[in-house]
Amino acid sequence: MHEFDAKEIVTEGKMHAQVERVGRQIIPAAQRFVSIKLKEARESGDEKDVEFWTGACKRTAGSWNYITLDSEIPNAFVTELFPRTIFVTTRYLEDYIGGDDDLALIFGHEISHLIHGHNLKQNSISTLWSAIELLIISLDPTQGLISILIASFAKFLSSAGESANSREHEREADATGIKLMAMACYDTKKGVEVFRRMMEGNGSQIVDIFSTHPPTQERFIFLQKKSATENAAKYPNSCQFVKQAAKQTFLKSFFDLSA
């Protein structure tokens, strides 16, 4: 569930300008990434991979919207409920985001959830556990006594399993997110500092079986190591492509507003 408690949508000012600027550059990188992965899947002949990356291409294709929400809840997210839209709150920008590199990593991470279909997978798991719970209740000969105990235990396992799955999704989104950031010509070593600020702001974290995110410190260390190899120099062709695509998107938006 994404919390934001928005008072209004911000459509002007430095904050929203930064959101649009970074969004216009990170999206072409994401679209190029999934296109390359689909090409690789087709060349390998793996039908499951072809199906998966075809879906990823569909989820990311087209023009995107960048929404800045005036809210006291720090949050940034992408959801299938509002296709091709990045949401970020003013509190998140104020508390954690310094330069464009910081925001590029966060946007890359959130888009990666969409690319990998994490929300779809999580919903499928929830549906499966609900079906199991219903089956237990329908087969209970004691008319509910055993069902209550077993269903409660099943719910416990479901919550723990979903949380563990969610933590793996976060790690996968971190790994893909920093790659997208590098492909979009951003400085990954600067970008990972956003996780240092989160770590300092959140303090020490105790992670249990119900935690949906890995510890921020763990994520910061991982991304800091990845930044040594994931950088713009690794993707010179993508960097040039993304800059040109971002420029074209900006010009189209400018002339659309002027019309």
Side-chain angles (χ1 to χ4, degrees):
M1 180 64 112
H2 302 292
E3 294 184 271
F4 48 89
D5 187 29
K7 300 172 186 175
E8 61 181 22
I9 296 176
V10 179
T11 57
E12 55 186 21
K14 289 184 178 180
M15 277 189 183
H16 184 62
Q18 183 184 38
V19 169
E20 287 198 326
R21 182 171 63 248
V22 174
R24 283 195 298 263
Q25 195 156 324
I26 202 77
I27 290 301
Q31 292 169 337
R32 183 174 175 81
F33 171 74
V34 296
S35 177
I36 291 171
K37 298 299 286 186
L38 177 57
K39 181 181 178 183
E40 291 173 351
R42 284 172 173 164
E43 290 173 350
S44 71
D46 190 317
E47 292 183 5
K48 286 187 177 180
D49 277 357
V50 170
E51 182 181 1
F52 175 82
W53 290 110
T54 297
C57 285
K58 289 179 180 178
R59 289 191 291 273
T60 56
S63 300
W64 279 61
N65 299 307
Y66 312 103
I67 307 296
T68 308
L69 300 168
D70 183 13
S71 171
E72 291 302 310
I73 298 175
N75 206 348
F77 60 92
V78 174
T79 173
E80 287 89 348
L81 295 175
F82 298 94
R84 296 176 295 281
T85 303
I86 298 176
F87 294 90
V88 62
T89 66
T90 52
R91 176 54 61 192
Y92 195 99
L93 295 168
E94 290 168 353
D95 287 357
Y96 301 122
I97 303 302
D100 287 5
D101 300 301
D102 302 334
L103 192 57
L105 180 55
I106 297 305
F107 280 0
H109 172 91
E110 297 303 332
I111 295 164
S112 295
H113 281 306
L114 184 72
I115 287 173
H116 292 293
H118 289 159
N119 289 343
L120 297 174
K121 292 176 183 177
Q122 202 73 11
N123 290 339
S124 296
I125 292 171
S126 298
T127 301
L128 175 62
W129 278 106
S130 296
I132 291 172
E133 186 176 348
L134 182 62
L135 182 63
I136 290 170
I137 293 172
S138 64
L139 296 177
D140 182 9
T142 64
Q143 297 183 338
L145 294 177
I146 295 177
S147 293
I148 292 174
L149 294 175
I150 297 179
S152 296
F153 183 62
K155 188 66 177 177
F156 171 85
L157 292 178
S158 170
S159 298
E162 286 179 19
S163 296
N165 205 43
S166 178
R167 290 193 295 274
E168 286 307 308
H169 287 171
E170 293 300 323
R171 293 185 179 100
E172 186 174 36
D174 283 343
T176 302
I178 196 169
K179 184 183 293 288
L180 298 183
M181 178 191 180
M183 291 177 70
C185 294
Y186 287 104
D187 188 331
T188 54
K189 289 186 177 181
K190 286 183 179 179
V192 299
E193 289 301 310
V194 68
F195 278 86
R196 187 196 296 275
R197 284 191 286 277
M198 288 185 195
M199 189 170 58
E200 293 170 350
N202 296 335
S204 59
Q205 291 179 302
I206 299 175
V207 177
D208 57 29
I209 60 173
F210 298 112
S211 297
T212 58
H213 287 60
T216 306
Q217 183 177 15
E218 174 192 313
R219 298 173 70 187
F220 171 67
I221 293 171
F222 169 77
L223 289 166
Q224 195 174 43
K225 288 180 180 178
K226 292 290 287 184
S227 69
T229 55
E230 289 293 344
N231 48 62
K234 184 179 178 181
Y235 306 102
N237 293 335
S238 291
C239 191
Q240 184 178 5
F241 169 84
V242 164
K243 283 186 175 181
Q244 185 62 30
K247 182 179 179 180
Q248 289 175 352
T249 302
F250 171 76
L251 291 174
K252 182 179 184 302
S253 176
F254 176 79
F255 285 117
D256 285 346
L257 290 173
S258 301

